[in-house]
Amino acid sequence: MLTAMRAGGGFARQSSANRFLFAVRWKLGALLGWDRPEAGLGNRVRSLRERLPRELSETVDPTAPSRLPFTPVYQLQDEYVAELANGTVHTLMHLGWVPTGNGEHQLRMAVLVKPNGLLGRCYLMFIAPFRYLIVYPALTRQWEQAWRDHRTAVQQDGRAAGGS
């Protein structure tokens, strides 16, 4: 699924509403200093990756370039966790590839957010409607389309290679 999501363009191919909301957020973060390095991982917040057993923490390269604003924490066959920290929050995004019981799988996402003080709590209250009404539904639609495109490409590759 991660391969499909990355091939689907990640954050670069978001809906125009999401691109606008994230552009506003990054601009405000730059103007108000929320995204300064000292407010992030390794400075204000110790990374979850540092607290994991070696067999998990060594499953990703946190220095590898990414199109996401998140830093990878770990990646397994059916699970991926990434994190972000700034002046407002420390966030973990967990993606799980879960069997549905009928031989198929479903992507499940959990976003765990710890506010940074009063500013973080106010920020989260303000953005909650945007997250639940615009951002998450648009990401879900984008990821569903990325999975459909990936599955179609794999099926076409299989037919081109003489498979069934």
Side-chain angles (χ1 to χ4, degrees):
M1 184 61 208
L2 287 173
T3 301
M5 290 165 65
R6 288 175 181 133
F11 279 98
R13 293 188 65 197
Q14 291 181 44
S15 70
S16 56
N18 272 6
R19 283 194 312 272
F20 173 76
L21 288 172
F22 278 99
V24 169
R25 165 53 187 89
W26 299 131
K27 190 61 158 174
L28 282 173
L31 290 171
L32 300 174
W34 297 342
D35 301 325
R36 294 184 322 268
E38 59 270 15
L41 291 174
N43 294 304
R44 182 184 68 79
V45 176
R46 187 171 161 220
S47 173
L48 173 63
R49 190 171 176 276
E50 297 171 13
R51 296 173 258 173
L52 293 175
R54 176 174 272 160
E55 60 269 14
L56 280 179
S57 65
E58 292 180 348
T59 61
V60 295
D61 177 2
T63 63
S66 172
R67 289 185 275 186
L68 296 174
F70 290 87
T71 300
V73 174
Y74 72 86
Q75 180 178 333
L76 303 175
Q77 184 68 25
D78 59 357
E79 192 173 4
Y80 175 75
V81 173
E83 70 184 324
L84 171 135
N86 57 44
T88 58
V89 297
H90 181 202
T91 301
L92 295 172
M93 178 181 66
H94 178 271
L95 300 173
W97 194 232
V98 181
T100 61
N102 62 358
E104 295 183 359
H105 286 75
Q106 184 178 68
L107 179 66
R108 302 263 174 98
M109 177 179 74
V111 178
L112 308 168
V113 183
K114 180 179 179 183
N116 182 20
L118 179 61
L119 171 64
R121 287 191 297 279
C122 292
Y123 171 76
L124 286 173
M125 285 181 6
F126 177 75
I127 69 166
F130 300 104
R131 286 173 47 208
Y132 293 106
L133 297 174
I134 298 171
V135 175
Y136 295 156
L139 282 176
T140 301
R141 285 190 300 274
Q142 179 185 355
W143 292 343
E144 286 174 354
Q145 186 60 51
W147 178 247
R148 281 192 214 97
D149 294 347
H150 175 75
R151 198 165 53 185
T152 300
V154 168
Q155 290 169 347
Q156 289 173 346
D157 287 348
R159 284 192 291 265
S164 52

